[in-house]
Amino acid sequence: STFEERLAMQDLDAKTALSLLDYSLYFDLSGAPNPLNPDAILHYLLEETLVVRQDNGLYAITNLGAILFAKKLSSFSKLSRKAVRVVQYKGNNRVDILKEEIENSGYVIAFEGLIRYIEALLPSQEVIEGALRTTHTVYPNIAVREAIANALIHQDFSITGTGPVIEIFDKRIEITNPGIPLIDIYRIVDNPPKSRNEKLASLMRR
């Protein structure tokens, strides 16, 4: 079985399973109406394999459901080290740490807040163009978003004990994740894209 299909927590009643996931965000982002009935909510989560029904009638949360929608990744012992870590350093080496933050929510929940937090730490300047005052950042927002999204989606989840790290220095930003590239780095521009975690990548794109 793939990482996404494996179980992060099992033998849960419906109420407990739903309490561990921020399922309302799934409905907000997918555009589906947010059902009030727990059975209807579970129907959607079962369809997406975020949750599965066990033979004993209880429910299990899959790794896919937990890594994307967990209210707290620390609630899932095997996934707690997959939380995103952001470190800001003074200068251009790793000697002095100014700030360190660990984002403990599932990736879908954390993503927008994570981007805003990182942008606030990056150098920027206000420029007046005609009658308008605009903020210019050192790194384009779309590039930062894409690099972070790719680091989350394409990491090797079989490597335990480490997760994605975003390090901010005075003159650079480094985004790393566990695992080796699936494509030769010298052919990364002209090779077709490959995904290590197809279901996770597909759901994040949606």
Side-chain angles (χ1 to χ4, degrees):
S1 63
T2 64
F3 163 80
E4 295 110 316
E5 294 168 331
R6 291 183 209 122
L7 305 183
M9 194 180 291
Q10 48 194 318
D11 294 324
L12 306 169
D13 58 46
K15 184 178 179 182
T16 306
L18 291 177
S19 73
L20 291 164
L21 302 177
D22 190 348
Y23 56 83
S24 62
L25 193 61
Y26 164 80
F27 293 105
D28 290 346
L29 294 175
S30 67
N34 195 338
L36 299 176
N37 182 332
D39 288 338
I41 295 167
L42 279 166
H43 169 76
Y44 279 93
L45 303 187
L46 288 163
E47 285 292 306
E48 297 279 15
T49 62
L50 303 175
V51 171
V52 294
R53 197 191 306 270
Q54 300 173 191
D55 292 340
N56 61 7
L58 294 173
Y59 294 90
I61 297 172
T62 62
N63 282 340
L64 180 67
I67 202 71
L68 293 183
F69 292 100
K71 289 179 180 174
K72 291 182 179 178
L73 283 172
S74 56
S75 300
F76 300 86
S77 58
K78 293 177 185 174
L79 298 178
S80 59
R81 296 298 296 273
K82 295 300 176 185
V84 185
R85 185 166 156 251
V86 182
V87 187
Q88 183 186 27
Y89 297 97
K90 180 180 180 181
N92 288 301
N93 56 44
R94 294 181 174 86
V95 175
D96 293 322
I97 294 177
L98 291 177
K99 287 183 180 177
E100 182 171 8
E101 183 78 20
I102 295 177
E103 180 48 72
N104 191 30
S105 307
Y107 294 164
V108 169
I109 301 167
F111 192 71
E112 288 301 330
L114 184 65
I115 298 298
R116 285 195 298 272
Y117 178 75
I118 289 163
E119 284 190 329
L121 298 180
L122 295 175
S124 63
Q125 65 180 92
E126 288 194 337
V127 177
I128 297 173
E129 297 172 342
L132 298 176
R133 185 190 299 266
T134 57
T135 301
H136 288 237
T137 56
V138 174
Y139 311 103
N141 173 272
I142 193 168
V144 173
R145 291 177 70 91
E146 186 73 8
I148 292 171
N150 282 334
L152 301 183
I153 289 168
H154 299 303
Q155 65 182 293
D156 186 345
F157 284 101
S158 69
I159 299 174
T160 57
T162 182
V165 180
I166 300 153
E167 297 175 294
I168 299 166
F169 302 86
D170 279 2
K171 294 184 179 178
R172 73 186 190 279
I173 178 170
E174 292 187 14
I175 300 167
T176 54
N177 67 357
I180 60 172
L182 294 175
I183 297 171
D184 180 343
I185 60 170
Y186 297 108
R187 301 298 304 278
I188 214 156
V189 174
D190 59 354
N191 268 13
K194 290 184 182 179
S195 180
R196 189 176 261 121
N197 309 296
E198 284 293 349
K199 283 188 176 180
L200 189 149
S202 172
L203 200 49
M204 278 284 276
R205 274 193 293 269
R206 281 169 47 204

